């Protein structure tokens, strides 16, 4: 463990990533406090920690946006890992002020504390997101590296693939996106994550303490919410496959994502907590491997021996990117992190865990409702 860090506050620590990080840190002897409000959309009716964490961490039930509760939780801490946030690209496109209040204002409260209060905090890690990049990095045969603009329903009529922002041609090759790539989020969620990371980097710089913004790709694995219909295609597709319901794939199914296993995310996060040298770092955390959505659906249906029909709907959701996968050179150089899980192995670990929970919603009413909300707002076409 880092020489000077023992007590760690994890905001949103009862959630998917936070609870897994807490579990690993407890095993290593850190003293952990979790601050979480147990949002029903993520936790369902459950408002308590998992059994293996209950007696091993201090739990504060409260909202990170409540300054008095947050300040009380921060008292005496050596480090903060800030996960408390609303997640989900689609929902952010119409719940704009809510995402801003939860993600930005709560982070402003944390920055106020770091800058203005007397404390012993030596390191702050904030969960950023690959969504801040919008579309990833591409290469044009004529112009080299380019960063395509966000797609809209009007310009996907010609092709789902992005076009060169200079020539307008659909002749680009997707490249791994590095941390110096252009930031141009295509969702309000991505904008809030961009602001969060910039606030934490600046606040820690002002106080000469360590600051890390970790741009997580699509995190998945055991512990992921099976109840939140607004985020996580692996959870949604698994639910549909278990009920032998049709799996509706947007666009042409060839859109790709970088799926990173939760254990790799835990390793990357803790590697930053243990770094002794002072400074601020913005780092990608991913697998570095793109996987297309049709491949995801096929793997799930095959592994579960499901009768679900996979339907390529051609529907398009405003705010969705086409491709993005992480360049991991910088995090490897700074922390030595290398992902260990292949997508197939990781997906099977997630499905095996999901089956053991006996906690998967029996129908998909909530998922269908979430799609209905997007259609009603004019954000889902086709």
């Amino acid at each position: 463990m880092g020489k000077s860090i023992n007590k760690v506050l994890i905001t949103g620590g009862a959630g998917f990533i936070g609870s897994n990080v807490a579990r690993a840190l407890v095993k290593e002897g850190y003293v952990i406090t979790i601050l979480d409000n147990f949002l029903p959309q993520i936790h369902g009716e459950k408002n308590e920690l998992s059994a293996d964490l209950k007696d091993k961490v201090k739990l504060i039930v409260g909202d990170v946006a409540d300054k008095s509760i947050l300040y009380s939780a921060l008292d005496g801490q050596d480090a903060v890992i800030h996960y408390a946030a609303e997640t989900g690209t689609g929902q952010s496109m119409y719940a704009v002020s809510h995402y801003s209040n939860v993600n930005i204002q709560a982070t402003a409260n944390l920055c106020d504390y770091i800058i203005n209060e007397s404390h012993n905090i030596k390191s702050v890690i904030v969960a950023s997101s690959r969504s801040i990049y919008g579309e990833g990095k591409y290469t044009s045969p004529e112009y080299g590296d380019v960063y395509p603009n966000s797609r809209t329903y009007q310009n996907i009529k010609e092709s789902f693939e992005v076009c060169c922002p200079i020539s307008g041609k659909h002749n680009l090759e997707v490249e791994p996106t590095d941390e110096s790539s252009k930031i141009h989020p295509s969702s309000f969620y991505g904008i809030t994550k961009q602001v969060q990371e910039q606030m934490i980097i600046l606040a820690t710089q002002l106080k000469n303490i360590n600051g890390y913004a970790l741009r997580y790709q699509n995190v998945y694995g055991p512990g992921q919410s099976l109840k939140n219909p607004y985020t996580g295609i692996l959870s949604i597709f698994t639910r549909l496959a278990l009920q032998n319901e049709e799996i509706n794939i947007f666009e042409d199914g060839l859109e790709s994502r970088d799926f990173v296993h939760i254990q790799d995310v835990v390793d990357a996060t803790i590697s930053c907590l243990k770094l002794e040298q002072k400074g601020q770092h913005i780092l990608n955390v991913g697998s570095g491997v793109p996987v297309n959505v049709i491949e995801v659906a096929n793997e799930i249906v095959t592994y579960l021996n499901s009768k679900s029909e996979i339907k390529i709907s051609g529907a398009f959701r405003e705010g969705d990117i086409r491709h993005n996968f992480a360049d991991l050179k910088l995090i490897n150089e700074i922390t030595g992190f290398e992902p260990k899980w292949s997508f197939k192995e990781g997906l099977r670990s997630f499905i095996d865990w999901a089956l053991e929970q006996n906690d998967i919603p029996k129908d998909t009413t909530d998922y269908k409702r979430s799609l209905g909300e997007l259609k009603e707002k004019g954000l889902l076409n086709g």
Side-chain angles (χ1 to χ4, degrees):
M1 122 178 14
K3 292 174 189 172
S4 56
I5 291 176
N6 181 36
K7 296 179 179 177
V8 182
L9 171 67
I10 306 177
T11 71
F16 172 38
I17 303 177
S19 60
N20 276 283
V21 170
R23 208 167 274 121
L25 289 175
V26 165
K27 281 182 185 169
E28 294 198 27
Y30 290 83
V31 177
I32 303 301
T33 300
I34 285 174
L35 171 61
D36 204 293
N37 68 347
F38 291 96
L39 190 70
Q41 182 173 299
I42 296 168
H43 298 276
E45 297 308 309
K46 182 184 171 190
N47 60 352
E48 57 184 21
L49 294 172
S50 56
D52 65 326
L53 276 178
K54 255 185 194 174
D55 301 322
K56 296 177 181 171
V57 305
K58 177 183 178 183
L59 173 64
I60 300 171
V61 179
D63 196 324
V64 73
D66 184 320
K67 207 164 188 175
S68 62
I69 291 174
L70 176 64
Y71 277 30
S72 174
L74 287 163
D75 185 43
Q77 303 295 339
D78 300 320
V80 183
I81 303 177
H82 184 37
Y83 286 124
E86 283 287 5
T87 61
T89 301
Q91 192 180 26
S92 78
M93 298 299 279
Y94 57 88
V96 183
S97 63
H98 177 64
Y99 270 68
S100 178
N101 287 338
V102 174
N103 295 2
I104 296 174
Q105 185 56 51
T107 305
N109 292 344
L110 174 55
C111 291
D112 272 342
Y113 184 90
I114 292 166
I115 294 167
N116 299 313
E117 302 298 318
S118 173
H119 60 78
N120 297 313
I121 293 170
K122 299 165 186 72
S123 190
V124 182
I125 297 171
V126 63
S128 186
S129 167
R130 59 97 188 147
S131 65
I132 73 164
Y133 293 119
E135 285 295 341
K137 184 178 184 179
Y138 292 76
T139 300
S140 156
E142 298 97 346
Y143 302 104
D145 291 346
V146 293
Y147 299 94
N149 299 318
S150 302
R151 300 173 301 158
T152 67
Y153 186 57
Q154 291 307 311
N155 58 34
I156 58 108
K157 288 177 180 175
E158 184 181 342
S159 172
F160 286 120
E161 292 296 342
V162 295
C163 63
C164 176
I166 304 169
S167 69
K169 294 178 184 175
H170 296 280
N171 62 346
L172 304 180
E173 289 289 328
V174 64
E175 299 286 344
T177 302
D178 57 62
E179 292 84 351
S180 62
S181 294
K182 181 178 177 180
I183 292 174
H184 57 151
S186 58
S187 68
F188 288 105
Y189 170 69
I191 290 170
T192 67
K193 299 312 283 186
Q194 177 187 353
V195 175
Q196 275 190 300
E197 74 166 48
Q198 289 176 328
M199 292 171 89
I200 293 297
I201 292 299
L202 180 55
T204 54
Q205 192 174 38
L206 288 171
K207 298 303 287 187
N208 194 30
I209 60 177
N210 286 354
Y212 302 94
L214 301 184
R215 293 175 178 170
Y216 296 134
Q217 291 278 336
N218 293 63
V219 186
Y220 74 99
Q224 190 167 12
S225 174
L226 299 169
K227 296 185 172 71
N228 188 352
Y230 296 95
T231 183
I233 64 167
L234 299 187
S235 291
I236 291 164
F237 287 2
T238 298
R239 284 172 59 179
L240 293 167
L242 284 168
Q243 290 148 25
N244 296 306
E245 289 200 28
E246 180 179 273
I247 296 176
N248 177 8
I249 293 180
F250 295 165
E251 303 184 29
D252 57 3
L254 298 180
E255 61 274 24
S256 66
R257 300 291 183 269
D258 181 332
F259 294 96
V260 56
H261 193 272
I262 183 61
Q263 287 307 315
D264 284 333
V265 167
V266 169
D267 290 348
T269 305
I270 293 177
S271 72
C272 291
L273 189 69
K274 291 179 175 180
L275 283 179
E276 288 294 321
Q277 70 266 33
K278 282 195 171 65
Q280 287 68 44
H281 297 286
I282 296 173
L283 302 171
N284 286 333
V285 178
S287 70
V289 179
V291 179
N292 66 46
V293 175
I294 189 70
E295 188 180 337
V296 172
N298 282 327
E299 285 284 352
I300 290 171
V301 167
T302 301
Y303 190 58
L304 289 171
N305 197 24
S306 170
K307 295 184 176 64
S308 290
E309 181 186 349
I310 297 172
K311 179 188 174 187
I312 308 288
S313 71
F316 174 71
R317 187 173 68 167
E318 296 279 352
D320 275 356
I321 62 161
R322 183 63 174 173
H323 302 294
N324 188 300
F325 69 104
D327 184 314
L328 300 176
K329 290 191 198 77
L330 187 58
I331 191 169
N332 176 259
E333 180 186 312
I334 289 171
T335 74
F337 167 74
E338 289 182 4
K340 298 181 179 71
W341 286 79
S342 72
F343 177 67
K344 186 177 278 193
E345 290 170 332
L347 179 62
R348 292 183 173 189
S349 80
F350 166 66
I351 293 174
D352 290 345
W353 169 83
L355 293 173
E356 286 170 12
Q357 301 313 297
N358 197 27
D359 191 30
I360 299 167
K362 301 302 180 195
D363 62 44
T364 53
T365 305
D366 57 344
Y367 172 58
K368 289 169 183 168
R369 184 175 64 246
S370 73
L371 295 180
E373 288 172 5
L374 288 171
K375 284 183 178 175
E376 184 186 325
K377 306 289 182 182
L379 299 169
L380 180 63
N381 301 285

